[in-house]
Amino acid sequence: MSDLADDYAGAGFGRPLDWGEKPAVLLIDMVRAYFQPDAELYMGSRDCLDSAARVVAAARTAGVPVIYTRVAYGPGGIDGGLFFRKVGALRHFVTGSGSDLGEIMPDVAPEAGDLVITKQYASAFFGTTLSATLAANRIDTLVICGVSTSGCVRATAVDAISYGYVPIVVRQGVGDRDPRPHEANLFDIAAKYGEVWDEPVVTERLAR
């Protein structure tokens, strides 16, 4: 191993977390804003969307719940606080703005009975009912796909482990506009906050 790898291993980072008894798939902000080429938040690739669609299909076949998040704000972003002021492109998610960029992509569209959580901040947990819903349904493992790796995915993974849920991030099912923060955050998540698994491993596990 490299000196850096030895250093991380010596500090005890990266110990594995086990897949629990009852998983759910969580799709974070898979909306048009990130996949429409003329949008400010366009990431330049739809690879993570295609991967997420395969994970969702595997979950549905196995009867595993699929949960979605999307972002929406009240008039003028009144409920977006400093986050809304910090990130200008969030104005496209204001309710009544006439923009369709907050719509979930049809490739992974919710079905009847799926839960869609509306959030205003990065984490899917912050200011939402997600943790209470997971607890009530005895969910213990969150399979995470979505965007962006360095933002909402990481924030959600950190909160997931903080609330006692095992976060399993699907490597091919998450994306970012820049490969540098993408890879750095996957490294950090695997070291400190959860698991980062390849898509085939996840779909095989969902099928059990």
Side-chain angles (χ1 to χ4, degrees):
M1 289 192 293
S2 69
D3 290 342
L4 182 60
D6 285 336
D7 178 69
Y8 268 76
F13 290 112
R15 293 178 178 175
L17 297 173
D18 295 331
W19 182 288
E21 296 295 323
K22 192 172 182 183
V25 171
L26 179 63
L27 261 65
I28 300 174
D29 301 350
M30 286 295 213
V31 299
R32 293 186 182 278
Y34 298 98
F35 302 103
Q36 190 165 298
D38 60 350
E40 290 173 279
L41 291 172
Y42 177 55
M43 295 194 309
S45 170
R46 56 170 288 137
D47 290 348
C48 68
L49 177 63
D50 295 335
S51 174
R54 293 188 291 268
V55 171
V56 168
R60 296 204 189 284
T61 298
V64 171
V66 181
I67 301 171
Y68 295 78
T69 73
R70 59 184 292 273
V71 177
Y73 297 102
I78 190 171
D79 50 351
L82 297 178
F83 186 45
F84 187 85
R85 287 168 55 185
K86 182 70 175 177
V87 183
L90 294 179
R91 69 186 184 281
H92 297 294
F93 300 134
V94 172
T95 302
S97 67
S99 172
D100 65 353
L101 295 180
E103 294 179 0
I104 295 172
M105 292 293 288
D107 314 64
V108 292
E111 294 185 354
D114 290 336
L115 175 63
V116 180
I117 291 175
T118 300
K119 64 187 182 74
Q120 287 76 42
Y121 293 88
S123 172
F125 287 91
F126 185 81
T128 75
T129 60
L130 179 58
S131 185
T133 298
L134 297 176
N137 288 278
R138 304 294 191 266
I139 302 297
D140 56 18
T141 303
L142 276 184
V143 176
I144 300 173
C145 297
V147 294
S148 62
T149 314
S150 61
C152 299
V153 170
R154 180 188 174 120
T156 298
V158 171
D159 278 356
I161 197 171
S162 301
Y163 280 109
Y165 305 102
V166 176
I168 297 180
V169 175
V170 183
R171 178 178 296 277
Q172 295 81 7
V174 296
D176 213 309
R177 63 197 309 112
D178 186 327
R180 295 169 298 177
H182 171 74
E183 291 298 336
N185 280 277
L186 287 178
F187 178 89
D188 266 354
I189 290 168
K192 305 169 188 173
Y193 306 117
E195 298 295 302
V196 178
W197 288 11
D198 287 323
E199 178 199 318
V201 180
V202 171
T203 54
E204 187 276 333
R205 190 63 182 79
L206 285 169
R208 289 187 191 176

